[in-house]
Amino acid sequence: MAKTETLLAPELYINRELSWLDFNYRVLAQALDEYTPLLEQAKFSAIFSNNLDEFFMVRVASLKSQIEAGVSTLSDDGLTAQQQLQAIRAKLRPLLEIQQQHYRHSLKSQLSSYGVHLIDYANLNDGQREWIETYFQNAIFPVLTPLAVDPSHPFPFISNLSLNVAALVRDPDTGQQEFARVKVPQKNLPRFVQIPAQLSGKQPEPVYTAVPLEQVVAFNLRLLFPGMHVEGHYFFRVTRDADLELRDLEADDLMEALEEGLRKRRRGGEVVRLEVADEMPEVVVQLLMEGTAVEAEDVYRVNGPLGLDDLMSLVAIPLPQLKFKPHKGRTATALARTQKGQLEDGSIKAEEFESIFSVIRRGDVLLHHPYDLFSTSVEEFLNQAADDPLVLAIKMTLYRTSKNSAVVAALIRAAENGKQVMALVELKARFDEDNNIQWAKQLEASGVHVVYGVLGLKTHTKILLVVRKEKERLNSYVHIGTGNYNSKTSSLYTDIGLLTARPEFGADLVELFNYLTGFSKQQSFRRLLVAPVTLRSRMEGLIRREIDHALAGRGGHIRAKINSLVDPAIIALLYEASQAGVTIELVVRGMCSLRPALEGISDGITVISVIGRFLEHSRIFWFGNGGAAELFIGSADWMSRNLDKRVEAVAQIEDPRLRQQLEQILDLYLQDTGAWHMNSEGQFQKRQHGGEQHLVQQEMVKRWRGGLIAAT
């Protein structure tokens, strides 16, 4: 068996940034797949672009900051920050061209056959052009501000992710060519300007006809520069460093620091990417580079529209045959008093819904979203707690929640009903900081005790505790989940949740909340694995136990479904386990720095990735334990930040019925015929369509409808 230092050798690890780009390509591949409905193709292409924006704002920005600060630390795979940036550019540029080719040559043409026409301004007919010009004058022209660049007008500030027109105009009197920037008002107007169907001149009339907003602006620049000759227009877009670096501060100061940080983010940090239209002349590119202070390697020429994240708006087009069949979910079987009580949309009649506390007392309940409705499980749990006169206290964590949140409304109502309500609102949830600040203020104003977590740690755990007085004693009811308390994402992400009244879990959550809100230094828990206190040591101990089983001939076996695997210590331990004969089956949605199937190192490890209509977000950990398997769910991935720098909770599933359900779910993932399989070089290959398909998300919908995997 190789020594630990050997198992930490750089050649055994895949760069996390490059692995993330591979994951984002798998997202793009959903758009490229002919079996994906057309409007869903547009959605996946939009997600690919939106993911990239955040990648540049955070990860690329971090690497550039390391270079500027002279940081010489190498990545786990032995690369400098500069080498990583070079590798990112080399890997990304072909992906951008693949995306644009799909948009130009596949998506647009196929959509047109269904009456959806995304047309360029130059191809408008006379009637459409006249309508667009009127629309421009009435709805766009008044809000535009052309900004000249000359010795008396410095280069203007370009806001983050804004779409812009670089205009070249010539003064007919002096012959002097000038440069001006015009910001496209995409935040206030739709990216695709819809044209009345009757102007198409086609029969039958199209369902949707639109022209990109930036083209409407560009082809009407003459109205912005009267008396000048417009000689050219070119589109560009910048991405800025948007990460917030905060000192460890007390709660009041933290909110103030975050609000100031958000103001700075809106103003924008350093430019980390400059996207320009492929046809932009080099002289204009140079002018933009100087104005935005970027180097040549930060410039990305794009052969097509910039900012394709706006393709997401096309999903609203009323063509259901071009979308996935709607999936609304149903009430979890254990929580539905009678089947006849369920309405067609999967919800239940209020009079048919018995006390959720009675259900949980009878036995643990497993929830699997989006197949089980969030509204009739977690939200119903919270709503009943808010209104139940026997409930004395509610405590929960909020990391990301939706606008018009039913969860927040229930907490406010509970406080107004005189209950002790505590909400830990994580203000540092990236890109949700402003939303969470507003929720925190609203909750505090309503009488909810709001705290912001442990100094120096981000609170990522998803936990909810309800304390109820029953027969002169206090009983605890608990929800522990893998996903956020967010009704919107609960219908888009796959997540697992546990509802339980087991006293050990209640006692653990009481102590964990004391750790989060006070000065507790709790070092042990009964049924929870808690980061940064016990999670790493327990996870490593569980892996080592499988090594012992394998060495003793009892067949070590590990299965895990996670979002990311990049922690070097865990990876080295998995390599050691593989060498000892442990069978390791991993379902990793995103980044994976482990190399499977390396001879003599990781022969016993397989890695697959499942990408589908729902974002895979659940985390499940299964350890064979010599035939007495133990199984866990929780909010943590095998990443250093989850194990060491965040507050996380992973719960052991004790009910045999629930363990069996989770084992069935793991089986479905591992048998998915559409999964991506990772090779020893870190490359993922997808099985080709053909023959009988067993796609886990489709299979889950079928089995859930048939009651074969029911959260009972």
Side-chain angles (χ1 to χ4, degrees):
M1 192 179 300
K3 296 181 179 179
T4 300
E5 56 267 25
T6 303
L7 297 178
L8 291 172
E11 60 270 20
L12 299 183
Y13 292 80
I14 296 165
N15 183 269
R16 58 168 288 165
E17 317 301 350
L18 300 182
S19 182
W20 185 91
L21 287 177
D22 284 332
F23 154 67
N24 208 32
Y25 170 71
R26 297 196 293 278
V27 173
L28 178 62
Q30 290 292 113
L32 307 178
D33 191 333
E34 62 179 319
Y35 290 90
T36 303
L38 286 176
L39 291 178
E40 303 291 347
Q41 291 184 24
K43 180 188 77 175
F44 280 110
S45 188
I47 294 172
F48 171 83
S49 290
N50 185 71
N51 286 350
L52 269 184
D53 288 344
E54 292 193 10
F55 178 72
F56 272 89
M57 288 189 287
V58 178
R59 300 305 307 173
V60 171
S62 175
L63 291 171
K64 292 178 73 68
S65 295
Q66 289 179 39
I67 294 172
E68 293 173 8
V71 175
S72 57
T73 305
L74 301 181
S75 62
D76 293 329
D77 61 321
L79 298 181
T80 65
Q82 185 63 53
Q83 289 171 326
Q84 291 180 76
L85 286 176
Q86 292 170 351
I88 287 169
R89 295 178 193 116
K91 197 176 196 71
L92 179 56
R93 293 184 193 278
L95 301 187
L96 294 173
E97 181 54 32
I98 290 172
Q99 182 193 29
Q100 289 292 341
Q101 286 183 4
H102 170 258
Y103 174 77
R104 296 193 313 268
H105 303 304
S106 178
L107 184 64
K108 285 178 65 177
S109 60
Q110 290 189 70
L111 283 174
S112 66
S113 64
Y114 290 91
V116 176
H117 302 288
L118 303 176
I119 55 180
D120 293 323
Y121 195 95
N123 295 327
L124 295 174
N125 62 35
D126 291 341
Q128 291 170 330
R129 190 182 300 267
E130 182 179 350
W131 186 91
I132 282 290
E133 289 177 352
T134 301
Y135 176 84
F136 174 82
Q137 292 182 345
N138 293 335
I140 302 176
F141 179 74
V143 302
L144 297 179
T145 303
L147 297 175
V149 177
D150 58 28
S152 63
H153 298 89
F155 194 90
F157 177 81
I158 311 297
S159 55
N160 187 33
L161 303 182
S162 64
L163 194 56
N164 304 271
V165 182
L168 295 181
V169 299
R170 190 175 298 277
D171 187 328
D173 297 327
T174 65
Q176 180 71 31
Q177 188 182 68
E178 306 288 356
F179 172 87
R181 172 258 189 163
V182 180
K183 183 178 180 179
V184 178
Q186 66 191 101
K187 300 297 182 184
N188 310 105
L189 295 170
R191 174 67 184 276
F192 297 99
V193 178
Q194 189 172 358
I195 302 171
Q198 60 268 28
L199 297 177
S200 68
K202 298 179 180 179
Q203 293 297 328
E205 290 182 351
V207 176
Y208 179 91
T209 302
V211 61
L213 176 62
E214 66 271 23
Q215 292 188 20
V216 176
V217 173
F219 282 92
N220 286 279
L221 287 175
R222 67 188 185 283
L223 299 176
L224 287 172
F225 303 101
M228 303 287 282
H229 294 317
V230 179
E231 296 191 333
H233 64 256
Y234 310 97
F235 304 116
F236 71 97
R237 183 175 184 260
V238 303
T239 310
R240 293 182 176 274
D241 179 351
D243 203 14
L244 295 179
E245 294 185 6
L246 299 166
R247 296 177 293 113
D248 288 339
L249 300 167
E250 298 296 340
D252 290 342
D253 292 332
L254 177 59
M255 181 176 287
E256 182 179 339
L258 270 165
E259 290 179 318
E260 175 59 27
L262 289 170
R263 286 191 287 271
K264 290 181 179 178
R265 177 190 281 173
R266 285 188 279 270
R267 291 195 295 271
E270 299 295 322
V271 175
V272 295
R273 177 178 58 167
L274 172 62
E275 297 172 276
V276 302
D278 195 42
E279 66 272 13
M280 181 180 286
E282 189 61 31
V283 63
V284 181
V285 175
Q286 289 296 324
L287 192 153
L288 293 177
M289 287 172 56
E290 294 173 10
T292 57
V294 301
E295 303 296 330
E297 57 265 25
D298 300 318
V299 177
Y300 287 80
R301 286 187 175 271
V302 180
N303 187 15
L306 307 180
L308 284 181
D309 55 307
D310 287 322
L311 287 175
M312 186 67 75
S313 64
L314 301 181
V315 179
I317 295 174
L319 288 172
Q321 67 271 34
L322 300 186
K323 306 175 190 178
F324 289 128
K325 184 179 179 181
H327 175 75
K328 297 181 180 179
R330 296 280 182 94
T331 297
T333 304
L335 301 180
R337 186 174 181 182
T338 60
Q339 289 297 321
K340 66 180 180 181
Q342 294 199 19
L343 304 177
E344 289 186 1
D345 65 357
S347 62
I348 54 179
K349 299 177 182 178
E351 65 271 17
E352 295 289 344
F353 205 99
E354 67 177 307
S355 166
I356 200 165
F357 303 107
S358 299
V359 175
I360 299 173
R361 278 198 305 272
R362 289 199 295 267
D364 294 351
V365 178
L366 185 72
L367 303 172
H368 194 187
H369 309 299
Y371 315 107
D372 296 321
L373 282 170
F374 185 78
S375 59
T376 58
S377 55
V378 178
E379 286 182 0
E380 182 66 24
F381 177 42
L382 197 51
N383 281 325
Q384 288 196 27
D387 298 327
D388 188 335
L390 298 181
V391 168
L392 304 183
I394 301 173
K395 301 180 181 184
M396 74 180 303
T397 57
L398 291 175
Y399 189 75
R400 301 185 196 274
T401 191
S402 53
K403 294 182 179 179
N404 304 316
S405 170
V407 167
V408 172
L411 292 177
I412 291 173
R413 192 170 72 256
E416 292 172 346
N417 287 340
K419 304 180 191 307
Q420 292 291 317
V421 182
M422 189 282 291
L424 189 150
V425 181
E426 179 48 75
L427 297 182
K428 294 173 288 185
R430 183 174 286 140
F431 300 117
D432 269 337
E433 300 96 342
D434 191 43
N435 187 48
N436 286 2
I437 286 172
Q438 301 312 313
W439 282 132
K441 290 179 177 179
Q442 184 176 341
L443 287 165
E444 281 189 318
S446 303
V448 175
H449 300 295
V450 178
V451 296
Y452 308 114
V454 180
L455 197 65
L457 299 173
K458 184 178 287 189
T459 303
H460 188 249
T461 184
K462 328 297 183 185
I463 52 176
L464 168 58
L465 170 68
V466 173
V467 180
R468 193 169 186 258
K469 187 175 182 179
E470 299 168 350
K471 296 181 180 180
E472 303 307 315
R473 60 176 296 177
L474 298 182
N475 291 326
S476 296
Y477 296 84
V478 167
H479 174 266
I480 302 169
T482 67
N484 296 304
Y485 293 109
N486 186 316
S487 58
K488 180 179 179 181
T489 57
S490 70
S491 65
L492 304 173
Y493 296 3
T494 70
D495 273 303
I496 300 289
L498 171 69
L499 289 170
T500 181
R502 292 177 184 265
E504 299 88 350
F505 280 110
D508 275 354
L509 256 64
V510 167
E511 293 175 354
L512 179 53
F513 276 113
N514 288 341
Y515 170 80
L516 293 171
T517 63
F519 294 106
S520 165
K521 292 187 177 180
Q522 188 75 20
Q523 295 299 306
S524 63
F525 296 87
R526 299 159 186 80
R527 292 293 182 268
L528 292 182
L529 284 57
V530 175
V533 183
T534 63
L535 180 58
R536 177 182 286 279
S537 61
R538 285 294 308 280
M539 280 290 173
E540 292 179 350
L542 289 165
I543 298 171
R544 291 192 182 280
R545 188 178 65 183
E546 294 306 311
I547 294 175
D548 293 339
H549 281 305
L551 294 176
R554 293 188 293 270
H557 196 177
I558 297 171
R559 287 177 164 185
K561 180 183 180 296
I562 49 182
N563 295 340
S564 299
L565 170 56
V566 297
D567 183 75
I570 292 289
I571 293 173
L573 197 52
L574 291 173
Y575 286 154
E576 184 179 337
S578 175
Q579 291 179 308
V582 177
T583 299
I584 302 171
E585 299 171 288
L586 304 175
V587 184
V588 186
R589 184 197 76 200
M591 296 179 293
C592 182
S593 294
L594 176 148
R595 292 183 183 271
L598 287 172
E599 185 176 355
I601 300 291
S602 56
D603 311 70
I605 304 177
T606 58
V607 178
I608 66 170
S609 179
V610 173
I611 307 291
R613 64 179 291 185
F614 305 123
L615 178 71
E616 290 296 339
H617 194 250
S618 56
R619 291 92 162 183
I620 306 172
F621 306 92
W622 182 92
F623 300 91
N625 192 27
E630 292 186 348
L631 202 150
F632 303 80
I633 67 163
S635 56
D637 289 305
W638 279 340
M639 302 179 69
S640 301
R641 71 183 188 189
N642 297 102
L643 300 170
D644 304 322
K645 300 177 182 178
R646 291 183 171 186
V647 178
E648 305 276 11
V650 172
Q652 183 171 355
I653 302 300
E654 298 186 335
D655 189 313
R657 297 173 303 112
L658 272 55
R659 288 204 302 267
Q660 183 180 17
Q661 292 169 33
L662 287 168
E663 287 172 347
Q664 290 179 45
I665 290 170
L666 281 173
D667 285 342
L668 285 176
Y669 279 100
L670 292 167
Q671 295 164 11
D672 190 316
T673 58
W676 296 77
H677 293 254
M678 186 181 186
N679 64 22
S680 60
E681 298 301 315
Q683 300 167 337
F684 282 86
Q685 296 177 329
K686 195 173 191 296
R687 289 183 178 177
Q688 299 299 313
H689 285 283
E692 187 177 359
Q693 293 294 303
H694 295 282
L695 305 180
V696 61
Q697 293 185 1
Q698 294 181 15
E699 195 72 18
M700 276 302 306
V701 170
K702 292 177 184 177
R703 294 195 177 204
W704 156 80
R705 285 176 176 163
L708 298 179
I709 295 185
T712 56

